[in-house]
Each structure stands twice: as C-alpha cells, then as structure tokens.
Amino acid sequence: MWQKKESKLELAASMVRHVMPVLRTKKNVLLLCGSWYVKKSLVSIVDEYGNLGLIGNARLDSVIYDLPPQRTGKRGRPATHGGRLSIQDDFTLSDEKIGGYYMAVRRVLTNIFGKRTVLAYVTSADKENGGRRLYFSTVFPEQLQIFCAWQEKSPLNQTGSSHMQFIPLLLYAFRWNIEVSYYEQKTFWSLCSYMVRSRKGIEMLVNLIKIAYCAMKLLPYQDKTFSKYQTESVQEFRFVLSEQIRQQVFYAIFVKKAETHIKSKAIIKVLKQLIQHQGYYL
C-alpha cells in the first residue's frame, strides 16, 4: 500500500513538472488538490517554480503553528514557530457565509510546508455546531487581486470588500469542475478499481480509463442509435448502454451454444437473422 501511494505522488509530481514549462509565461498557475496529495513529497514542488502555487484540502489532524514571536533581543536561538494552533479554538469564523460557508483565515507554519508561511483556511457550514474543514494555500490574496477584478460573478469580484482575504480558498471551487469526469468515472462507470503498483502500470491504467471514458462520452455524438442521450443524464445513458452490452453478450453466448448443440444450419441461420434484425451484430 505504501509503495502504491508513493508511486501515485511521484506520478503527480512528474505530471506537474511535465506541464510547467508550457505554463512558464503565466503569472499564476494553481495546483488544486485533495487532502491525500497534500504531503511533503508533492507540495515541495511549488518551490521549484516561481509562478506555481498550491491550494489544497488538508487533514484535520495536520499540525499547524502560529508565526514565530518577535525577537526580544535576548540571548539564545530564536523560536522557529509560535504555539500550536487548534482549528476549533484559534480560528474565528466570519459573521456571514461566503461562498456558502463561514470562513476563517490566518497565516501559519506547518511541518508539511517546512519554513514557508502559508494561509490556513477553516470552513464550516454551520457556525455554531458544524464540522470544520482545513485548507492550506501558498497563494496570498495580493497575488490575485488583478485576476479577481474582472470576474463577473460574486464573490470573486468583491475585491474591495472583506471577502478579498478569502479569494484563494474560493478559487478551490474550480476543482469541482475538473472533478466531474472523475466523479462520473467512479460513480457511474465503475472505472475506479485497480491493482497496479508500478509507475508504468498506473500510467497505462489512467490512459486506458481516459480512453474508455472519452469513448462513452463521444458515443451519443457518433452513433445515431444513442443520439438522444446527448442531453440525458449520465445515469440514464449508463443504464441503456449497460443493457445493450448485457444483451449482446447474451446473444453471442446463445448463438455459440446453439452452434454447438443444434446441427441444423437452417435454424442457426434463422436465429442469426432474428438477432441481427434486433440491431445486434455478431
């Protein structure tokens, strides 16, 4: 299991390094990731590129510290960080919901990012009794002000308000648009299970999944039989497609057994014509 996790993190880092030369002229390149990927071996990649930032969901038990206290002038090694912070007690949520959540933010240090100061965001759907979630961002609001100024939709366009400090976290919502394909692959197409551990095996599997997924998404536009499912839900199309596959498998097995046990060529011919008449090809 450990080897598999390490291989996936290495693959993710390799993919980022592969694409960053193409994005070298972009001012802000954001890497959005879930809590599984917010680990030293991946987040350290932001140190390699000046225009790369990371915004990621983090584990609730992640250790976070306040910034180091001001120097007192006394002898001794200065503190590398302040006291340990609690997401329950040391983050005061906003008075109103922003993007559907109450939010709090402060600059912190954490072992995951080493000596780099990052923003820690805490969110909750219910200010009093709701569970809290933790996010880290290496991107600061002042880096994104120009980007947010031309946004048409609230709250990204409210750059002059108190919402500005929460802009990096609001950008994390863009991740869900990317996640749609992964959600459909896992939930409806059952393409989520694999038993490979090597980097090459994972790459081949990811490519195979993407090809299969794209083929199923393009099918309604390429085959008139399924054209009406261009605008239907994924659930509806999946059900119809699975029924078609199931029936074709049934007819194929049926004819194979018929050829084995039925000696009359005339009967076999009639059966094949009947199946082809239903729209199936052997």
Side-chain angles (χ1 to χ4, degrees):
M1 180 62 71
W2 180 83
Q3 290 180 341
K4 188 195 302 186
K5 288 182 178 180
E6 287 301 308
S7 296
K8 288 180 67 177
L9 287 172
E10 291 172 4
L11 177 59
S14 176
M15 292 171 63
V16 174
R17 291 189 178 98
H18 184 75
V19 76
M20 282 307 296
V22 181
L23 302 174
R24 64 183 181 276
T25 60
K26 303 299 180 181
K27 184 176 181 180
N28 290 307
V29 180
L30 301 180
L31 178 60
L32 309 177
C33 54
S35 59
W36 196 91
Y37 290 94
V38 180
K39 295 179 173 63
K40 274 187 178 182
S41 54
L42 179 63
V43 302
S44 60
I45 201 170
V46 299
D47 296 325
E48 301 177 21
Y49 305 94
N51 62 335
L52 178 63
L54 180 142
I55 306 171
N57 187 205
R59 290 170 54 102
L60 293 179
D61 59 357
S62 298
V63 177
I64 52 178
Y65 300 100
D66 198 0
L67 299 182
Q70 293 292 328
R71 296 289 298 272
T72 61
K74 296 181 179 180
R75 285 187 173 184
R77 181 180 298 177
T80 57
H81 55 73
R84 184 168 176 175
L85 300 175
S86 164
I87 66 172
Q88 297 293 338
D89 304 324
D90 298 310
F91 286 80
T92 303
L93 297 175
S94 57
D95 293 329
E96 60 178 345
K97 283 190 174 182
I98 304 169
Y101 294 91
Y102 295 101
M103 298 184 182
V105 59
R106 65 187 298 170
R107 298 187 179 217
V108 302
L109 293 170
T110 174
N111 294 336
I112 299 173
F113 290 91
K115 296 180 180 180
R116 175 190 284 268
T117 299
V118 298
L119 291 177
Y121 288 95
V122 173
T123 67
S124 178
D126 187 317
K127 189 173 182 179
E128 301 299 330
N129 303 312
R132 298 193 172 194
R133 302 188 70 179
L134 174 65
Y135 300 83
F136 291 129
S137 172
T138 65
V139 183
F140 291 84
E142 53 269 25
Q143 299 173 246
L144 302 169
Q145 192 155 5
I146 296 178
F147 163 79
C148 298
W150 54 262
Q151 292 290 322
E152 296 180 357
K153 295 182 178 180
S154 174
L156 288 180
N157 60 4
Q158 300 180 17
T159 54
S161 71
S162 59
H163 289 178
M164 189 61 213
Q165 61 181 326
F166 301 112
I167 289 297
L169 181 59
L170 294 173
L171 292 177
Y172 187 79
F174 288 144
R175 178 174 176 241
W176 303 122
N177 297 328
I178 304 170
E179 287 286 316
V180 171
S181 63
Y182 294 99
Y183 173 74
E184 290 183 356
Q185 290 168 22
K186 295 176 181 179
T187 306
F188 303 113
W189 299 114
S190 302
L191 299 176
C192 57
S193 299
Y194 58 87
M195 298 296 290
V196 293
R197 295 190 177 186
S198 67
R199 174 175 173 174
K200 183 177 181 181
I202 293 174
E203 288 177 343
M204 293 176 65
L205 179 72
V206 169
N207 290 335
L208 178 61
I209 290 175
K210 297 304 179 185
I211 291 171
Y213 177 72
C214 290
M216 287 182 284
K217 295 295 285 186
L218 291 173
L219 184 59
Y221 299 90
Q222 297 295 321
D223 191 328
K224 293 182 179 180
T225 306
F226 301 103
S227 60
K228 71 175 185 177
Y229 295 101
Q230 292 178 10
T231 56
E232 295 291 334
S233 66
V234 179
Q235 296 95 318
E236 289 290 332
F237 182 48
R238 176 187 179 277
F239 175 77
V240 171
L241 190 60
S242 62
E243 283 296 306
Q244 295 279 344
I245 295 173
R246 189 178 296 110
Q247 290 178 23
Q248 289 205 26
V249 171
F250 169 79
Y251 283 126
I253 295 175
F254 178 75
V255 171
K256 183 177 180 180
K257 291 186 176 181
E259 289 177 338
T260 303
H261 299 287
I262 300 176
K263 302 302 181 182
S264 173
K265 292 183 179 180
I267 295 177
I268 294 175
K269 183 177 180 180
V270 170
L271 287 173
K272 289 185 176 181
Q273 288 178 347
L274 176 62
I275 293 171
Q276 290 173 353
H277 180 70
Q278 297 294 325
Y280 303 108
Y281 300 91
L282 304 177

